[in-house]
Amino acid sequence: MNPSPLLDIIDTPQDLRRLEKKQLPQVAAELREFLLDSVGKTGGHFASNLGAVELTVALHYVYDTPEDHLVWDVGHQSYPHKILTGRKNQMHTMRQYGGLAGFPKRSESEYDAFGVGHSSTSIGAALGMAVADKQLGNNRRSVAIIGDGAMTAGQAFEALNCAGDMDVDLLVILNDNEMSISPNVGALPKYLASNVVRDMHGLLSTIKAQSSKVLDKLPGAMELAQKVENKIKTLAGEAEYAKQSLSLFENFGFRYTGPVDGHNVENLVDVLKDLRGRKGPQLLHVITKKGNGYKFAENDPVKYHAVAKLPSEVPAPEVKPVAAKPTYTQVFGQWLCDQAAADERLVAITPAMREGSGLVEFEQQFPDRYFDVGIAEQHAVTFAGGLACEGIKPVVAIYSTFLQRAYDQLVHDVALQNLPVLFAIDRAGIVGADGPTHAGLYDLSFLRCVPNMIIAAPSDENECRLLLSTCYQANSPSAVRYPRGTGTGATVSDGLETVEIGEGIIRREGGKIAVIAFGSMVAPSLAAADKLNATVADMRFVKPIDEELIVRLARSHDYIVTAEENAEQGGAGSAVLEVLAKHGICKPVLLLGVEDKVTEHGDPKKLLDDLGLSAETIEKRIAGWIKAV
């Protein structure tokens, strides 16, 4: 006889904490089944959530959430957390317009202690909460849950460095599954994977866990045990252990526990109860398997990091595939391989986004010229600057939202030195289900003020290739920003042709209205212009901007409209206004862009419609504006 379902009676962590510890494996099993069903229908981040089920159950069982703070790094593993914190019946809305966010969000639930979406912020945020509680006299606990992939970023080590030297109660849980989105790179994952460290600390942690309650009651026993522990380390192989620096985290001032099995929920509860009562900075090393419990995700955690929906166990009947339009990412990936074949100076750099940025084929063809630096955007840009100093031609493939994290390095280490680094900026504009943390809505504004920068915005797939080739040949810093997904379906050249830097082109001649459009807004502007009989200019470049074309359009038309998939403040429309002011031209101007507010998650078409940037809404906004001026 099967036991009665437990997940049905759990609406909040308080309900979970009423259960007996021996019931928790059943809760974890039911939670995993629920997760498989819900994500299988809605899509979303998948393998990372499967790997964090038992850890999530144990954390909410031991810690008094929401009074205690659980800070999830990145947050793509927070679905089990959402299910256990009152949002189980909303999981069918995950990442949909008006539904649950795909990441922790403070405005969504009191259990979401910190809004996240980018990696390596959890330790710093949890430390801030711990210090605040200490100053306010609150008896709360703060826990940061960070993956070994996110631990490759400098910000995580900055926080460790700070926390390890403070008298504050903080627990950092290192969820070690040997993965980020792709397999981890760099020295730290190799350190964590060391059999010496895992075996030795596993033995010592077991000894300490079994004996600590007894030893705490005996005068001087803990000090003696510490001496014995150190002696064991020495006898186990002093030279080898020294090479591993004893424990990286102990040297940072953290008391290390682990590694422990992250899928043994009852043992996790025992370990966490012990750690919750300890003082000072603590680090728990947990070993998990990404995709645990679902064979497809276990065997291919890269593919199943995020899914649209789960495949059926039964193979679908074979259907002749229909040729799909290439995505901008695919256009970039093909261009990169072609350009590398033509120029041996080219190297490609990614901050842990090999698949997302379209670099899989490049790595296969040019492994010695491919550099995945881990989740370290700042280092990626400075590294590119160093390469460029010596005559190499670096291409940094990076999402718009992640480039924000390396702004100082872009300015200081590349632009001010006028180094020829090409930034291939993917996911520019609205990104859809990933929401505001991943939206690329600010790059035109923050790049335009940087000296020496060339900024290009292609209007279709072929323009993307043309502008990549053009900017690559420039002897200065440059950026080509393009949206997520497919474009207009334009035929893409297989050559490496270039265009004149800073020169726009007229796509449609019309009457009294001139629409000055940038990048992804050219296509909807053209559709709107058919009904308005408007002229449409594809500016191609935001910087240097085609002043002659802007002046000519302003003097030959009664109304000027600018359109961009970027923040209105300081963006391409602002650049047009600056040109008009410079030349003393006073004409009615309508700026179409993203207004000054945080955009939400949802279907991109719906979001663009709400923002007034779809073809229909552009036409209506222009027509209404002309009537009003």
Side-chain angles (χ1 to χ4, degrees):
M1 182 177 179
N2 292 328
S4 300
L6 295 176
L7 195 60
D8 292 346
I9 63 173
I10 299 173
D11 291 321
T12 68
Q14 287 80 2
D15 299 323
L16 175 69
R17 292 192 280 269
R18 295 189 186 100
L19 300 177
E20 297 181 35
K21 185 176 71 172
K22 66 182 180 180
Q23 295 175 289
L24 298 184
Q26 181 184 337
V27 174
E30 292 178 14
L31 181 55
R32 183 169 277 107
E33 287 297 320
F34 186 91
L35 189 64
L36 284 164
D37 180 67
S38 63
V39 180
K41 293 175 180 176
T42 65
H45 291 99
F46 186 62
S48 51
N49 284 293
L50 291 176
V53 168
E54 288 82 8
L55 178 59
T56 305
V57 171
L59 281 166
H60 279 294
Y61 190 76
V62 172
Y63 284 85
D64 184 23
T65 54
E67 291 300 307
D68 290 337
H69 314 295
L70 300 184
V71 182
W72 300 92
D73 210 280
V74 183
H76 61 323
Q77 76 281 46
S78 65
Y79 293 11
H81 160 79
K82 294 198 176 200
I83 293 168
L84 294 175
T85 54
R87 287 167 278 184
K88 177 175 58 182
N89 295 330
Q90 298 171 271
M91 289 298 290
H92 66 282
T93 70
M94 177 62 68
R95 291 159 50 92
Q96 299 172 35
Y97 186 81
L100 293 179
F103 303 93
K105 187 176 182 181
R106 281 171 54 83
S107 61
E108 185 177 284
S109 172
E110 63 179 335
Y111 291 93
D112 292 357
F114 197 72
V116 292
H118 289 184
S119 84
S120 316
T121 61
S122 61
I123 303 175
L127 175 61
M129 294 172 187
V131 171
D133 284 331
K134 182 178 180 180
Q135 292 190 355
L136 295 171
N138 296 327
N139 187 27
R140 296 174 174 176
R141 292 291 184 268
S142 294
V143 183
I145 306 99
I146 183 169
D148 51 323
M151 195 66 92
T152 63
Q155 188 173 358
F157 281 87
E158 291 170 13
L160 284 174
N161 180 63
C162 184
D165 194 41
M166 298 181 71
D167 180 19
V168 65
D169 300 333
L170 171 70
L171 173 61
V172 174
I173 297 178
L174 175 57
N175 181 16
D176 182 358
N177 60 21
E178 301 183 347
M179 295 289 294
S180 54
I181 295 177
S182 306
N184 283 328
V185 298
L188 178 64
K190 293 178 182 177
Y191 171 85
L192 295 175
S194 165
N195 290 328
V196 172
V197 174
R198 287 177 184 252
D199 292 346
M200 177 56 64
H201 276 305
L203 171 63
L204 295 174
S205 296
T206 299
I207 294 171
K208 287 190 287 185
Q210 296 298 322
S211 60
S212 61
K213 292 182 180 179
V214 176
L215 293 174
D216 281 340
K217 298 176 182 179
L218 300 176
M222 286 303 296
E223 290 78 3
L224 176 61
Q226 185 64 50
K227 293 179 181 178
V228 172
E229 176 184 338
N230 292 336
K231 187 64 175 177
I232 291 173
K233 290 178 180 179
T234 301
L235 294 174
E238 187 172 279
E240 184 64 28
Y241 216 89
K243 188 169 71 174
Q244 296 293 345
S245 301
L246 293 177
S247 167
L248 173 67
F249 303 108
E250 288 176 357
N251 288 338
F252 266 96
F254 281 74
R255 185 176 177 184
Y256 177 96
T257 300
V260 299
D261 181 358
H263 298 301
N264 185 333
V265 64
E266 292 183 76
N267 184 56
L268 278 173
V269 166
D270 292 339
V271 173
L272 288 171
K273 282 184 176 179
D274 176 49
L275 290 172
R276 192 180 187 279
R278 293 186 187 180
K279 294 292 186 180
Q282 307 287 331
L283 188 135
L284 172 61
H285 188 177
V286 174
I287 306 298
T288 61
K289 185 174 183 62
K290 193 171 183 180
N292 187 62
Y294 185 68
K295 65 178 182 179
F296 295 118
E298 289 182 11
N299 295 334
D300 193 348
V302 174
K303 178 179 179 181
Y304 286 93
H305 172 76
V307 295
K309 62 179 182 179
L310 293 184
S312 170
E313 294 280 355
V314 180
E318 188 171 343
V319 179
K320 186 176 181 180
V322 178
K325 295 187 293 185
T327 64
Y328 280 99
T329 303
Q330 290 169 335
V331 171
F332 163 71
Q334 185 60 58
W335 168 83
L336 189 67
C337 291
D338 294 344
Q339 187 67 67
D343 186 350
E344 62 183 13
R345 297 174 299 164
L346 184 150
V347 300
I349 302 168
T350 175
M353 294 302 297
R354 178 184 64 186
E355 286 78 16
S357 292
L359 296 175
V360 173
E361 186 175 350
F362 182 88
E363 182 195 19
Q364 294 169 352
Q365 292 189 29
F366 306 97
D368 294 336
R369 294 155 67 183
Y370 167 81
F371 299 96
D372 183 345
V373 300
I375 304 177
E377 295 88 354
Q378 300 95 325
H379 166 59
V381 175
T382 303
F383 175 52
L387 287 163
C389 283
E390 300 304 309
I392 299 297
K393 294 278 285 184
V395 177
V396 179
I398 191 167
Y399 289 8
S400 173
T401 184
F402 299 146
L403 182 59
Q404 296 164 186
R405 311 188 87 187
Y407 190 54
D408 177 68
Q409 288 72 24
L410 183 147
V411 174
H412 188 274
D413 300 337
V414 174
L416 296 188
Q417 303 181 80
N418 200 27
L419 296 172
V421 176
L422 170 59
F423 295 91
I425 305 176
D426 204 334
R427 270 59 166 184
I430 296 295
V431 294
D434 282 338
T437 59
H438 285 58
L441 298 175
Y442 315 110
D443 54 84
L444 293 185
S445 300
F446 70 67
L447 288 174
R448 203 170 65 79
C449 62
V450 178
N452 294 323
M453 285 295 300
I454 297 171
I455 309 169
S459 57
D460 62 35
E461 300 91 330
N462 190 56
E463 284 285 311
C464 186
R465 185 172 174 107
L466 279 171
L467 295 178
L468 285 165
S469 296
T470 300
C471 289
Y472 178 79
Q473 298 300 335
N475 194 32
S476 65
S478 59
V480 179
R481 58 105 69 174
Y482 44 89
R484 181 176 189 171
T486 59
T488 64
T491 301
V492 181
S493 167
D494 59 2
L496 297 172
E497 301 91 353
T498 61
V499 297
E500 189 70 26
I501 292 177
E503 187 175 289
I505 187 171
I506 299 295
R507 297 293 184 188
R508 186 187 190 280
E509 293 281 3
K512 296 181 178 181
I513 306 167
V515 181
I516 300 174
F518 297 85
S520 60
M521 285 294 101
V522 172
S525 295
L526 285 168
D530 287 339
K531 296 183 178 180
L532 298 167
N533 187 28
T535 296
V536 176
D538 176 355
M539 294 303 293
R540 283 181 166 164
F541 294 90
V542 178
K543 184 180 181 182
I545 200 163
D546 193 338
E547 291 193 24
E548 188 277 330
L549 178 58
I550 293 170
V551 170
R552 176 158 55 87
L553 290 172
R555 287 175 174 166
S556 58
H557 294 75
D558 295 336
Y559 305 98
I560 304 298
V561 179
T562 68
E564 62 187 303
E565 197 172 337
N566 183 81
E568 289 179 1
Q569 290 74 17
S574 296
V576 173
L577 290 177
E578 291 164 14
V579 172
L580 296 177
K582 175 182 176 181
H583 291 270
I585 299 174
C586 185
K587 286 283 180 73
V589 180
L590 172 64
L591 300 186
L592 300 180
V594 177
E595 59 183 290
D596 188 20
K597 69 175 185 179
V598 175
T599 60
E600 293 303 323
H601 60 275
D603 179 74
K605 293 181 180 178
K606 171 64 175 171
L607 294 174
L608 287 172
D609 199 57
D610 285 356
L611 292 168
L613 296 176
S614 63
E616 288 186 2
T617 53
I618 287 174
E619 185 269 324
K620 290 177 181 178
R621 290 179 69 183
I622 294 175
W625 171 69
I626 289 176
K627 288 181 180 179
V629 295

